[in-house]
Amino acid sequence: GHKLIITGTGGIGKSMLMKHCFMNAIANTNLIPILIELRGLNEYEKDNISLKKYIYDVLGNYGFKLEMEYFEYSLETGCYLILFDGYDEVKNSLSQTITDEITSFCNKYSDNYMIMSSRPLNEFVGWPDFIEYESMSLTKEQALSLVSKLDYDEDIKKKFCEQLDEELYDEYESFASNPLLLTIMLMTFEERISIPDKKTDFY
């Protein structure tokens, strides 16, 4: 599909995936990738929000110089992969306006590829032509693999992985299956700080 939504809990790696898609598009496709952090729209007044203008301004900030009329023409040719990162980070007061802007933009320039990331929201059920995918948690094998790749003290990683394999993953699966929280677990392991049972306390 041309319109995808990637949902997942905080720290699961959505923004990292978007950056991976950006780099992958450069290396393996003929598409022009654009990474848009939607939280930047929080700085605008509701009546002044234009998604197309915002994308154009982001490109301009990174040295992409093209007159607006030619930018619009390029959008019509469908040569872009547009990555909208962090829909859940926009203000509640702006969410409906930004939703309207995204759906209108995607419908008007439907030959482009659009991927949006967000935490899970019920409203996505009503988004036409969008396919939603859910980010999966790390398995124990993936968690061990991730820790082994981190730039960290090798002795500490080895001890942590041994305990992660033996007991920590099973005991704290809700933490250990999340890339961000798993990394924090490694850091707290080094300091010998106990790991609380409740996720809110852990945060």
Side-chain angles (χ1 to χ4, degrees):
H2 279 243
K3 304 173 187 176
L4 307 179
I5 301 175
I6 309 294
T7 60
T9 57
I12 201 70
K14 301 182 297 295
S15 293
M16 189 66 68
L17 174 62
M18 300 294 269
K19 292 173 183 176
H20 169 77
C21 290
F22 181 91
M23 300 300 294
N24 187 270
I26 293 173
N28 298 308
T29 76
N30 292 323
L31 297 170
I32 301 169
I34 307 174
L35 180 60
I36 300 295
E37 295 182 337
L38 291 174
R39 66 173 177 266
L41 289 169
N42 290 333
E43 306 300 320
Y44 292 77
E45 296 293 330
K46 182 186 296 186
D47 295 337
N48 294 329
I49 290 177
S50 166
L51 185 61
K52 181 171 66 177
K53 179 68 164 53
Y54 179 61
I55 295 171
Y56 182 74
D57 289 343
V58 169
L59 290 172
N61 291 339
Y62 286 97
F64 184 80
K65 304 299 183 183
L66 189 67
E67 293 181 17
M68 175 58 84
E69 63 178 300
Y70 297 117
F71 175 58
E72 290 178 341
Y73 174 76
S74 69
L75 285 170
E76 292 169 358
T77 65
C79 61
Y80 293 102
L81 166 64
I82 304 178
L83 303 154
F84 298 110
D85 188 33
Y87 174 82
D88 56 295
E89 296 179 34
V90 301
K91 294 178 181 177
N92 288 336
S93 60
L94 300 177
S95 62
Q96 187 57 55
T97 299
I98 293 173
T99 294
D100 294 341
E101 283 287 315
I102 291 174
T103 54
S104 176
F105 180 89
C106 292
N107 287 332
K108 184 173 182 179
Y109 303 110
S110 58
D111 287 338
N112 298 283
Y113 290 85
M114 322 280 187
I115 304 177
M116 187 177 73
S117 71
S118 175
R119 297 192 188 198
L121 297 171
N122 291 331
E123 66 185 78
F124 294 142
V125 175
W127 285 39
D129 303 325
F130 279 83
I131 301 172
E132 183 177 347
Y133 289 94
E134 183 180 351
S135 299
M136 297 178 66
S137 300
L138 298 174
T139 63
K140 181 189 288 188
E141 291 72 21
Q142 291 170 331
L144 290 166
S145 175
L146 174 59
V147 172
S148 69
K149 295 173 183 175
L150 293 175
D151 183 14
Y152 214 77
D153 183 274
E154 292 298 327
D155 290 335
I156 294 172
K157 284 199 304 183
K158 183 179 179 181
K159 293 176 183 177
F160 180 72
C161 282
E162 288 174 355
Q163 292 199 27
L164 188 67
D165 188 30
E166 293 172 4
E167 58 183 359
L168 286 180
Y169 183 89
D170 295 328
E171 188 174 352
Y172 301 103
E173 184 175 349
S174 64
F175 304 156
S177 61
N178 180 296
L180 176 61
L181 300 185
L182 176 63
T183 305
I184 296 174
M185 281 183 70
L186 173 62
M187 296 166 68
T188 58
F189 179 83
E190 179 183 9
E191 299 296 330
R192 296 293 189 270
I193 299 174
S194 61
I195 300 173
D197 292 329
K198 293 183 179 180
K199 186 176 285 189
T200 52
D201 294 339
F202 185 77
Y203 275 119

